[in-house]
Amino acid sequence: MLGKDLLGLRDLSGDTIMEILTVAREMKKKIDDPNLRDNTLNKSSIITLFYENSTRTKTSFMLAGAYLGGIVQDLGVTTSSVNKGESLIDTGLNLDKMGVKFMIMRHQMTGASAVLARNVKACVINAGDGTNEHPTQALLDMYTIYDYLGGFKGLKVVILGDISHSRVARSNAFGLVKLGAEVTLAGPSTLISGSMKALGVKVTSDIKGAIADADVVMGLRVQFERQKNMPFPNTREYSTLYGINSSLLQYAKKDALVMHPGPVNRGVEFSTDVIDGKNSVINIQVKNGVAVRMAILKLLYEANPDLA
């Protein structure tokens, strides 16, 4: 059961993760059929605070809130008092006083969402903090796997790319391992650390070996914005050595899911024929993101009756 906030998957139980995925399956029906949308959130105020850019996460949260009868607003960080020097805590306290019940935040600093949660009454949902965690992305990834493959035990899931800077990889590792999947993190030695083995995963720079017989092949964007130095000579070399094309994908299982949290750099981590191929569920992940975020809002609302 969820508490006041959703800050990460590190401390979330496997049962709670499965509860979210089960509720998401019901919520997904409301995306396609507007007649099923309701007032579950009883006009609760929801605000998004995105200190970093976002398309999929912010938009899906805003739609998720609206589909469940919430009143959704975006803070607009670039035009807010943050640019006048207002601290994160003061921003949160002001929003608390305005009656905001859900604060959904993305921030470039690791731990920022936890700091906000400790200082406000509202439920805080971490939409990505630094290189730490991105729990709702991992949950929608897991929901997609669950929807297509029916479970997790014994599945071979390979996550490829910029592991070192990926909050998505960390959250997926925490969640998938708890649910019984065999997780391999793969990428250039400059973008992956052996210390990640502490998460209960395998770590390798052998891409072909990593994807052999994989049930799921998940790519990650190279996050140049988080790096001071270029971790490889150029993107062409990265694509040649570590990018996934249709020939390389043949080493995975025939019906392996091809996934990516987006945005995708076509021709870098995946070739266009892989992105648009029959195994790709990248666009389905986006739709599932709305369903999962609806489930999270619903469960947090029910776990905190004082929000009503």
Side-chain angles (χ1 to χ4, degrees), residues 202-215:
K202 299 177 182 178
V203 176
T204 183
S205 291
D206 177 8
I207 302 302
K208 185 182 293 185
I211 68 173
D213 296 319
D215 295 286

Side-chain angles (χ1 to χ4, degrees), residues 133-134 137-138 141 159 166-173 218 220 261:
E133 280 213 55
H134 192 347
Q137 177 64 51
D141 294 338
I159 305 175
S166 178
R167 51 199 176 203
V168 174
R170 284 171 176 76
S171 286
N172 265 301
M218 185 186 303
L220 299 173

Side-chain angles (χ1 to χ4, degrees), residues 167-243:
R167 51 199 176 203
V168 174
R170 284 171 176 76
S171 286
N172 265 301
F174 288 135
L176 287 167
V177 168
K178 288 176 183 179
L179 297 178
E182 299 175 9
V183 181
T184 299
L185 305 180
S189 59
T190 53
L191 292 175
I192 195 168
S193 169
S195 63
M196 298 290 283
K197 293 178 181 177
L199 302 181
V201 302
K202 299 177 182 178
V203 176
T204 183
S205 291
D206 177 8
I207 302 302
K208 185 182 293 185
I211 68 173
D213 296 319
D215 295 286
V216 179
V217 178
M218 185 186 303
L220 299 173
R221 180 178 65 88
V222 179
Q223 299 185 43
F224 295 108
E225 71 275 13
R226 299 190 190 279
Q227 303 171 39
K228 294 181 180 179
N229 300 307
M230 189 73 165
F232 42 82
N234 53 62
T235 55
R236 178 178 295 180
E237 179 167 313
Y238 179 91
S239 177
T240 300
L241 296 175
Y242 301 103

Side-chain angles (χ1 to χ4, degrees), residues 9 17 138-146 152 172 175-176 179:
L9 300 191
I17 291 173
L139 287 166
L140 76 87
D141 294 338
M142 288 185 280
Y143 175 77
T144 304
I145 295 170
Y146 180 55
F152 300 91
N172 265 301
L176 287 167
L179 297 178

